[in-house]
Amino acid sequence: MAEKKENRTSDREQSLVQHLLELRRRLLKSLAAVLIVFVGLFHFANDIYIFISEPLRDKLPAGSTMIATEVTSPFLAPFKLTLVVAFFIVIPFILHQIWAFISPGLYRHEKRFAIPLLVASVLLFYLGVSFAYFVISPLIFSFFTSAGPDSVAMMTDINSYLSFILKLLFAFGIAFEIPVATVLLIWSGVTSAESLSNKRPYVVVMCFIVGMLLTPPDVISQSLLAIPMWLLFEVGIAFSKIIKKTSNTVLK
């Protein structure tokens, strides 16, 4: 009996070690992919920064420019931005590595629904980032550049701008994951589509609160975030009902 217990313990330890080694291998692959893309993009670091800063530079008053208040800023700001862009580009590969790590432990019907969710999460994240850059950021910078006193010249530091725009892009990218989060909550049994439908008024209010916090204090900008978030919530509920019906059919 003692020998059998030792064998079981040894098998569990080996299994844990194998999982940790597999996780390390997947992480190293993801890191290597980010570094490879980063090296390929680094030559264009300044061009990438110029493109990302276009929404603000286009709204600056005549005679105003962006500035660097630190000695290392002209190098570090494009460097950090290029690293983030490399991560953005490699997100599908990283998610593929995550999928390859967890998929052996899933049932066939779970894999059938997980793959579309992974693809949808990537597309929605990119859609949210694009929406923030092309629609929201011009409105935000138009508001801020026109709201200040006439006697104050707006000359934004490149590091400060980078920090602001990355937070904005990430916030919208994550906000657009609402359908995926809704589907996962319902699929895992944490809540139900009916329960979330009953809480719709509270969700709408929360969407407008988030829109108020992430956008300038005007109704148009707030609505441009709140309404898509609410619609994405409704999409998540609709897909959850479809998945639930399909899953019940498959199990039968």
Side-chain angles (χ1 to χ4, degrees):
M1 290 292 292
E3 185 176 345
K4 288 183 179 179
K5 288 182 179 179
E6 289 179 1
N7 289 336
R8 290 198 202 99
T9 303
S10 177
D11 290 341
R12 284 197 295 267
E13 289 177 352
Q14 289 178 3
S15 178
L16 177 60
V17 170
Q18 289 172 354
H19 279 83
L20 291 175
L21 290 175
E22 176 68 10
L23 178 60
R24 186 185 69 173
R25 187 168 71 88
R26 298 293 176 183
L27 290 174
L28 289 176
K29 280 188 175 182
S30 300
L31 179 60
V34 173
L35 291 177
I36 290 171
V37 175
F38 170 75
V39 170
L41 292 176
F42 185 69
H43 177 73
F44 307 99
N46 290 335
D47 296 327
I48 294 172
Y49 192 94
I50 290 173
F51 174 76
I52 293 297
S53 62
E54 178 64 24
L56 174 61
R57 292 186 297 104
D58 185 57
K59 303 298 181 181
L60 287 175
S64 295
T65 61
M66 298 183 70
I67 60 173
T69 58
E70 299 178 6
V71 175
T72 57
S73 293
F75 170 78
L76 288 181
F79 180 92
K80 290 187 288 187
L81 176 59
T82 306
L83 189 59
V84 173
V85 171
F87 174 76
F88 272 28
I89 293 173
V90 178
I91 282 178
F93 180 80
I94 294 174
L95 288 177
H96 172 70
Q97 295 302 312
I98 295 173
W99 169 250
F101 179 73
I102 65 174
S103 61
L106 300 176
Y107 294 107
R108 181 179 297 179
H109 70 278
E110 291 176 332
K111 293 180 181 180
R112 181 180 176 183
F113 296 123
I115 293 176
L117 284 178
L118 284 173
V119 174
S121 65
V122 174
L123 295 178
L124 285 170
F125 182 81
Y126 286 151
L127 180 62
V129 170
S130 301
F131 184 76
Y133 178 80
F134 291 106
V135 178
I136 299 299
S137 58
L139 292 172
I140 289 177
F141 297 129
S142 177
F143 171 82
F144 284 128
T145 54
S146 62
D150 294 335
S151 58
V152 176
M154 184 174 182
M155 305 180 75
T156 306
D157 176 62
I158 59 175
N159 264 330
S160 299
Y161 173 79
L162 180 61
S163 176
F164 179 87
I165 194 68
L166 289 181
K167 289 178 182 177
L168 184 70
L169 297 181
F170 270 113
F172 274 78
I174 294 172
F176 271 58
E177 297 293 329
I178 288 176
V180 175
T182 304
V183 170
L184 288 176
L185 286 172
I186 296 173
W187 188 27
S188 62
V190 174
T191 185
S192 64
E194 293 74 18
S195 177
L196 288 178
S197 297
N198 293 333
K199 294 181 175 62
R200 184 177 286 109
Y202 303 102
V203 173
V204 173
V205 171
M206 285 301 301
C207 288
F208 275 91
I209 290 174
V210 172
M212 177 185 65
L213 295 175
L214 295 181
T215 59
D218 65 90
V219 177
I220 296 177
S221 300
Q222 181 181 355
S223 300
L224 282 173
L225 176 58
I227 293 175
M229 287 176 64
W230 168 57
L231 293 176
L232 290 169
F233 169 76
E234 298 293 343
V235 169
I237 292 178
F239 272 102
S240 297
K241 292 179 179 178
I242 295 172
I243 290 174
K244 186 176 180 180
K245 291 180 181 178
T246 307
S247 179
N248 291 337
T249 303
V250 170
L251 291 176
K252 290 179 181 178

